[in-house]
Amino acid sequence: MNPQTPSYEIKLLSSLAKVFPDETPVYQPECLLLSTLKGETVSFQAACTASGTFFKTAAEVVIHSPLKHCIRVRNVLNVPVGRACNPETDDNYLRTTSGMYPDLLRELSGNTTFIFPDMWRSLWLDIKVPEETAPGVYPVEIALVKEGEVLCSAAASVTVYDAVLPKQKIMHTEWLHADCLADYYHVPVFSEEHWAILKNFFLEYTDRGCNMMLTPLFTPALDTAFGGDRTTVQLIGITVDDGTYRFDFSRLKRWVDLCLECGIEYFEMCHLFSQWGAKYPPKIMADVNGKEEKIFGWHTPAVGAYTRFLHAFLPELTARLKEWGIDKVTYFHLSDEPRPDDLDTYRQAKESVADLLKGYHTFDALSSYEFYRHGLVDKPIPGNNEIDEFLEHGLTDMWTYYCVGQYLEVSNRFMSMPSLRNRIYGLQLYKYDIIGILHWGYNFYNSQFSLEHINPYETTDAGGGFPAGDPFLVYPGEDGRPEESIRMMVHYEGLCDLRACRLLESLTSREYVMELIEESLAEPLTFKRYPKSDMYLIQLRSRINREIASRSSLHAT
């Protein structure tokens, strides 16, 4: 082995870059126009590599900046991707093959990172700007240091504008699967250990713009094979004595209180019927004459004895929601993603509870307009690839969602997609004045149909069931705390873009903001047509920030 003098290289990149170990990242100064409003977190990356050595180098990460106390640095780690995409793709994917993809954000250990020979890795930097920060341009230098020697360094600056990012208005739910947390951490469901873990995940959830919580009255009837079961996570205690139901709401009250403590503003009650057509009840456990039994599930029809159960249960539930002061912010699901040929079973299920849910919104993810046309869904949630039909019928106050089926042309957040395809969602939500967004996978750590539990650090595609990046946004850290992903952070940036657009609209007009968004585009922005350039989005956001600051100062005078 011939000894050489190692050399080290660092490149600053925007938060929209994805740094693959085998691909040299391109330095793009036009994408490093870092700016932020107060109360916001702005992110960027520092990619590094080494040459002339066979070994990885441990280096201390040193930050020089007046904002140093506001800066958090994490490693971007690569995770294994088996299924990168669906069989059909468009031209807006980074890769379509299995391999190692950058995604996991992990805290530094003692301010130390590793620089790898002939392999690129990146550091993720968040600058969380307090509302009391003075406006101005702040330098930020990042240096990698070994034994007092600077191996490499790079510098940038961030402009803090004199305006506060307003509160988020859009409703946002990412389905948090309480059973997956109990299963992964091997703790009893709703034990004190489980509640502590739930709180950790709730706090991260709300910190990134999620403000509505899926509430497991019963074990959610989601992604479960026919005849199969998921780990029971039932908040409602049920006792059956000689055919009479008695309900214990104490655990639900603890859930609601914890949600409110962590910043949750809206509640969605889990689906009252099975997924894909409402043909069956969810799994419901009860103490029957002193013995725990499954009183409803795949073995019972959706309408009949279960209807009598709901007529006993729902009036007591809604009375509690009113007592706790959350009835006006509670939504109910019936069945997830009913298909067109499920119209009759869905109608029967809806009619069985319609009188019991008067005054409450019912909403479901669906692909067919027919369910709304027949008056079966109060608030339809079409996929962003199918929302045009709803908009063409003049619907307003719309929700939308995406998941595994929204993979051509539209926004999504698969690991194989560029980050801009994730962040552009914020501008699309603004243009169409969307009031709520939903995604099914905040932390789904099962295989497809919940046939087995998986380790999300090893399996990112639900056992090959979905493209990696669809089943979860956060990883289960060793200490019972979530580890975030770059997809989580970029999605948060999209929501901040939406909030900034709404602030500028309040100072100007909706037409003015849309002119800024579309003035450099050859065609109007839609859910399927949007710019593919990172520079477009970064420089647009900087322009919006400048406009907000200048107009805020005019309003102040």
Side-chain angles (χ1 to χ4, degrees), residues 44-87:
F44 67 104
Q45 298 178 79
C48 54
T49 190
S51 58
T53 179
F54 287 94
F55 308 106
K56 65 182 181 182
T57 303
E60 180 187 2
V61 178
V62 178
I63 301 295
H64 300 287
S65 174
L67 294 176
K68 180 179 178 179
H69 62 289
C70 306
I71 298 176
R72 178 187 188 186
V73 184
R74 289 178 282 181
N75 285 306
V76 180
L77 301 186
N78 297 298
V79 297
V81 168
R83 179 176 172 181
C85 55
N86 289 324

Side-chain angles (χ1 to χ4, degrees), residues 136-147:
V137 179
Y138 291 85
V140 178
E141 180 187 13
I142 177 170
L144 301 181
V145 178
K146 180 181 180 182
E147 297 175 354

Side-chain angles (χ1 to χ4, degrees), residues 502-520:
R502 286 183 169 164
L503 175 55
L504 182 56
E505 178 185 323
S506 72
L507 298 170
T508 57
S509 67
R510 183 170 183 80
E511 293 73 21
Y512 185 82
V513 178
M514 284 309 307
E515 183 179 344
L516 287 186
I517 290 172
E518 297 183 338
E519 66 181 0
S520 62

Side-chain angles (χ1 to χ4, degrees), residues 340-413:
D341 57 1
D342 297 323
L343 195 64
D344 288 341
T345 55
Y346 191 94
R347 178 187 286 109
Q348 292 169 15
K350 173 64 182 289
E351 290 174 350
S352 73
V353 297
D355 290 344
L356 304 173
L357 297 179
K358 283 184 178 178
Y360 289 91
H361 292 298
T362 59
F363 68 153
D364 276 320
L366 46 83
S367 57
S368 172
Y369 179 76
E370 290 300 294
F371 289 86
Y372 180 78
R373 188 174 71 83
H374 285 272
L376 301 179
V377 181
D378 177 30
K379 290 290 181 186
I381 310 177
N384 60 348
N385 61 331
E386 294 147 336
I387 196 172
D388 289 347
E389 181 180 9
F390 293 80
L391 295 172
E392 288 165 3
H393 279 88
L395 269 70
T396 57
D397 297 333
M398 284 293 298
W399 280 68
T400 191
Y401 83 104
Y402 55 65
C403 63
V404 64
Q406 287 66 46
Y407 59 93
L408 291 177
E409 300 184 292
V410 294
S411 300
N412 210 317
R413 58 187 189 222

Side-chain angles (χ1 to χ4, degrees), residues 41 165-174 201-213 262-266 399 413 429 435-438 442 473 484 488-489 491-496 498-499:
T41 298
L165 191 71
K167 185 179 183 295
Q168 180 178 309
K169 292 183 178 179
I170 193 170
M171 288 177 276
H172 179 200
T173 177
E174 304 276 341
F201 278 73
F202 285 9
L203 288 170
E204 190 279 341
Y205 184 88
T206 55
D207 197 41
R208 299 302 176 212
C210 306
N211 54 17
M212 174 182 274
M213 183 64 74
C262 294
I264 293 296
E265 301 176 61
Y266 305 94
W399 280 68
R413 58 187 189 222
L429 299 174
I435 67 167
I437 53 174
L438 174 151
Y442 175 72
L473 270 176
E484 295 180 314
M488 178 89 260
M489 294 306 302
H491 195 270
Y492 162 81
E493 289 181 316
L495 294 176
C496 289
L498 168 63
R499 294 158 67 185

